[in-house]
Structures are given as structure tokens and as C-alpha cells.
Amino acid sequence: MSGGASTSRGIVYQGIVCVLNSLVNEEWVKVVVEPKVEKKDSDKVDISWTLLDSKGNQSSKATQVKTTINQFTIGNIGSWLDELIEKTPNCDHYELSLIGNLAPSAYNLAHKINNQERFTESSEIKWSKLETYFGKISVVSYPINDDLFFRAIVTYLTELGEKHKLNLKFGDYSFASKALIGDVQVLSTKSVEVSREEYEKQIVHWLSNIRQEESKWKEAADKSYKHIVNRAYELCNLESWKEWYTPLIMQTFKIKPNQITNFHIFFDEIRSFNWPNYPYKNDYLEKSILRFKDSLEIIIEAFSNKCIYEPYSKMNVVPKHFYLPGVSQEEEEIRAKDYYNWIKEYQGLYIELSKSANLFADTVREKLDPTFLQFNGKLGGFTYSNDEINKIFNT
């Protein structure tokens, strides 16, 4: 799986696929999640299974999970199966599990592999050696649909709980499903082979303690959000918002150098912050904090590019050249004109920052702490419309 956001998505769905297989597939007797293998660069196997047929014969299966927000291609399927076979030559079965959409040609190739039909299209011929593995290779695909997978997990966890006579309600299974999405380590075997009985026992034990886990995770998530909100409050001087923000609006922009430094500390902390995962990930808080951070970072960068330390005090950062003393009247008029053009150019940034600050404060009061900046009124006086707020939170 590739890096970045697609890796995170792949890890989440890898866990989902493993859960579904472990709960509905009666063939397997042992499993290794994210197994270690000796050969270099052979991390293509995400899950390996030991299967047992009706006659008591054991066989092995290697499953590779891939995900993408783009379309899978013939080349993807061919190369991944080829690599999977090459890296794990002693396996009896190879399964490529694709989470996402398949291009029409890729869909046709997958269909032919699963039905053991000859490759006839020119784009398929390159992978014709895979025909020698017919009966041992398969391709399964799932759409990227959070709701679909979530409902399936709830259903199968409920079946597992009822099988073991756990006294849980629907809400408990719903919470457990969200928790699995947020923490797939619950499913990990730490690269150690475990039996079906052991693996099921591991999940059942976790499931039976889900109510205690719920309280613990909620407390941890609230603590995490309160920490980053407090850092925003401290580093961005929100209590004294009007003292440093009003000069921006009044076109007499001055700001202390140490405040600029604190802003950059805040930006860095947000970039490195580990946001809580589901089920207590709060998208509203996260999006409002990030919106405020992005708006503040844009305006500070814009002004910093135009500013220098005030020559006579070394205490404030002011617009470059606009306040330099000792210039002629003509030069002063030119600078004044440039200054007002500059202010007009960045006026939208002032307004956006104020709107994002108010959205941040309102969201914190609603979702986390009703007393947050309770008596400060509207910061800067500008707010988003309801349509704008809906768009921010729904994208």
C-alpha cells in the first residue's frame, strides 16, 4: 500500500477485511496479520491463512490488501499478483483483495482470473503467465463505502457476541465497530500465527470489555481535544484577541515579534498533533481548529512577507516601508497609497480569520467546553453563514 492518506485508508480497510474473513470464513484454522517474511521488500502479504478443507487437508493462502481512491488497472492486478507469487512461492492460494473501483478492463481481467478464462485482449496478454496459476489465484473487490462496511461489521460482531452469549446492546456493537475502524491493532496478531480459537477469543475478550473501553477512550479523546484547544488559547492569545486583532482591521497593523513566534509554534503543534481516532474522533472540532489554523497561517505569512521590525522600537512588526520616517511628502503619499492598496488586497483575509476564529470558539463551546471564551463576544465581529458552516463541516 502506498504512503500518505491512501496508506491510512488501506490500513483501516485491511482491518475490516480481516474481521469479515475471520468471522464469516469457516475454512481457516490459523491466521497471521501483517506477517513478517524473510525476503527483502516482501511486505506485500498483509494476511496469511492456514486453511482446512472438509477432508482435513491443510493449505496456505496469502492475501494482499490494496486500496486506492483512483481506479485499479489491469497493470495493477497483474503486477501485484505477479509479485505476490514471486515473493511467496510456496503458498497454495493467492488472493488479491482490492478496495476501490476497478476500471472496466481491470474488472474483465479479474472476472477471467476468477473463472479461469484465457486472456485474449491485447492489454491482458502481458500477464498471460498468470493463467498457469488458474485455480490458485483469485481477485476480490469491495467498493470504498464506509457505511456498507460499518453495517457489515456491526452485523458480524453482533453474531459473534450472541454466539458467545455476551450481554451487549446494539449500541455496544455499534461502538465496537467504530472502535475497530479507529484502532485496527485490536485485530493484529503482531505477526505471530494464532489459531482460529485464539483469534476469536482475542476479539471476544475485547468485545466483552467494550463498555469499560468506551469510558476510557472518551476520556482520552476529551483530554486530547482540550489540550490542543488550550494551546490555541495560549499561543494565539485568544483572551486578548481584540488587542492584537483590532489593529489589523483599523489599518494600523502592529504585532509583537514574540506573538509571531507563538503563532508558528501553534502551526507546528497542529501539524504534528495526533488527532483522536474513531469512535471519539470529533470531525466538527477537528475541522474548526484546522480552519482557524489555516486562516491564521495565511494572514500571518502574508503580513510577515510585507513587514519588518519597527526601526525605532524593535518591539513591533509593522508593514514594510509604510511607516519609515524621514521620507519626503511625495514619497510618503506613494507609500500611503501602496499601504491602502495592500490593506484592501488583504481585507478578505482579515474577515476570513475572524469568521474562522468564531467558528472555532462556537464549536468548542458546543462540543467540548461551554465556558470557552464565554464572555468575549464575537471575535472580530464576522461570522460564517449557515450555508458556509454546512459546507465546511460536510467536506
Side-chain angles (χ1 to χ4, degrees):
M1 285 174 280
S2 59
S6 62
T7 296
S8 299
R9 183 188 293 268
I11 291 172
V12 169
Y13 285 121
Q14 172 183 318
I16 293 173
V17 170
C18 186
V19 169
L20 292 178
N21 274 283
S22 68
L23 297 177
V24 304
N25 190 332
E26 298 295 334
E27 295 178 332
W28 68 276
V29 291
K30 295 180 182 179
V31 66
V32 184
V33 181
E34 296 178 346
K36 293 179 180 178
V37 286
E38 295 180 359
K39 290 187 176 182
K40 185 180 179 182
D41 298 327
S42 51
D43 59 345
K44 300 298 182 182
V45 179
D46 294 310
I47 308 168
S48 65
W49 312 87
T50 300
L51 309 179
L52 185 69
D53 65 19
S54 58
K55 296 180 180 179
N57 299 316
Q58 286 193 0
S59 60
S60 58
K61 181 174 77 170
T63 298
Q64 180 184 143
V65 182
K66 288 287 187 178
T67 185
T68 183
I69 58 174
N70 303 311
Q71 286 190 326
F72 291 108
T73 65
I74 284 181
N76 293 149
I77 294 176
S79 60
W80 289 333
L81 279 175
D82 195 34
E83 290 174 8
L84 187 59
I85 293 168
E86 180 184 352
K87 300 297 183 181
T88 53
N90 296 323
C91 250
D92 299 306
H93 306 281
Y94 303 93
E95 180 184 73
L96 184 60
S97 183
L98 304 178
I99 301 169
N101 298 317
L102 276 67
S105 57
Y107 176 85
N108 291 335
L109 182 68
H111 176 81
K112 289 181 178 181
I113 289 172
N114 294 334
N115 291 276
Q116 302 180 37
E117 299 176 4
R118 293 284 305 275
F119 299 165
T120 55
E121 299 295 329
S122 57
S123 57
E124 302 169 348
I125 298 300
K126 178 180 179 180
W127 309 106
S128 58
K129 66 179 179 179
L130 292 175
E131 294 178 1
T132 61
Y133 292 92
F134 277 170
K136 298 181 65 175
I137 58 176
S138 61
V139 180
V140 295
S141 63
Y142 306 90
I144 294 182
N145 187 320
D146 292 357
D147 291 337
L148 178 65
F149 276 96
F150 178 73
R151 288 195 298 269
I153 294 175
V154 171
T155 299
Y156 291 117
L157 286 181
T158 302
E159 291 181 6
L160 184 64
E162 291 177 349
K163 173 184 174 182
H164 290 269
K165 296 181 170 50
L166 300 181
N167 185 26
L168 298 176
K169 299 178 181 179
F170 175 80
D172 297 319
Y173 291 114
S174 178
F175 171 82
S177 299
K178 292 178 181 178
L180 283 180
I181 295 172
D183 184 12
V184 296
Q185 289 305 309
V186 171
L187 308 171
S188 175
T189 66
K190 299 180 174 62
S191 297
V192 175
E193 184 178 68
V194 298
S195 68
R196 182 188 183 92
E197 181 181 359
E198 290 173 317
Y199 192 58
E200 188 166 306
K201 184 178 179 180
Q202 171 185 325
I203 298 176
V204 169
H205 175 74
W206 171 81
L207 190 57
S208 64
N209 290 287
I210 199 65
R211 288 176 180 167
Q212 293 91 323
E213 293 294 314
E214 182 174 4
S215 175
K216 181 177 69 176
W217 290 344
K218 184 179 187 307
E219 182 180 346
D222 285 348
K223 183 178 180 180
S224 183
Y225 283 122
K226 285 179 180 178
H227 168 76
I228 199 64
V229 167
N230 287 336
R231 293 300 285 164
Y233 178 86
E234 296 166 0
L235 293 171
C236 300
N237 201 15
L238 295 183
E239 183 63 38
S240 303
W241 176 272
K242 292 181 181 179
E243 292 180 16
W244 70 264
Y245 183 84
T246 301
L248 273 66
I249 300 298
M250 299 304 292
Q251 302 179 4
T252 56
F253 179 71
K254 290 185 179 183
I255 193 166
K256 302 295 183 184
N258 68 318
Q259 183 63 74
I260 296 284
T261 300
N262 285 342
F263 286 150
H264 285 288
I265 293 173
F266 172 62
F267 302 152
D268 290 340
E269 289 191 8
I270 287 290
R271 279 190 282 268
S272 61
F273 185 65
N274 291 320
W275 299 96
N277 288 320
Y278 288 107
Y280 286 111
K281 175 183 173 67
N282 191 312
D283 285 329
Y284 293 97
L285 276 173
E286 186 171 332
K287 288 182 179 180
S288 68
I289 293 171
L290 290 174
R291 184 84 176 194
F292 170 67
K293 172 260 180 187
D294 289 344
S295 298
L296 181 59
E297 189 168 23
I298 289 171
I299 198 170
I300 293 304
E301 181 180 0
F303 279 110
S304 296
N305 289 339
K306 290 285 188 178
C307 294
I308 58 173
Y309 289 120
E310 207 167 27
Y312 47 85
S313 71
K314 302 293 184 182
M315 293 299 293
N316 294 312
V317 178
V318 297
K320 188 175 183 180
H321 299 309
F322 298 144
Y323 287 111
L324 292 181
V327 298
S328 66
Q329 181 176 353
E330 181 180 0
E331 179 67 18
E332 186 176 332
E333 290 176 355
I334 293 174
R335 294 182 186 279
K337 183 178 179 180
D338 289 342
Y339 174 67
Y340 285 112
N341 287 336
W342 178 67
I343 286 293
K344 185 177 180 180
E345 180 181 354
Y346 291 105
Q347 186 175 20
L349 298 181
Y350 310 150
I351 296 172
E352 176 62 27
L353 176 58
S354 179
K355 287 181 176 181
S356 66
N358 282 313
L359 178 65
F360 167 52
D362 289 343
T363 305
V364 171
R365 283 191 289 268
E366 179 183 352
K367 302 294 184 180
L368 191 66
D369 180 5
T371 66
F372 183 71
L373 294 176
Q374 186 176 13
F375 303 108
N376 286 61
K378 292 298 180 184
L379 304 179
F382 299 98
T383 58
Y384 290 118
S385 67
N386 289 335
D387 287 343
E388 288 174 320
I389 292 173
N390 289 333
K391 185 175 181 180
I392 291 169
F393 287 144
N394 292 319
T395 54

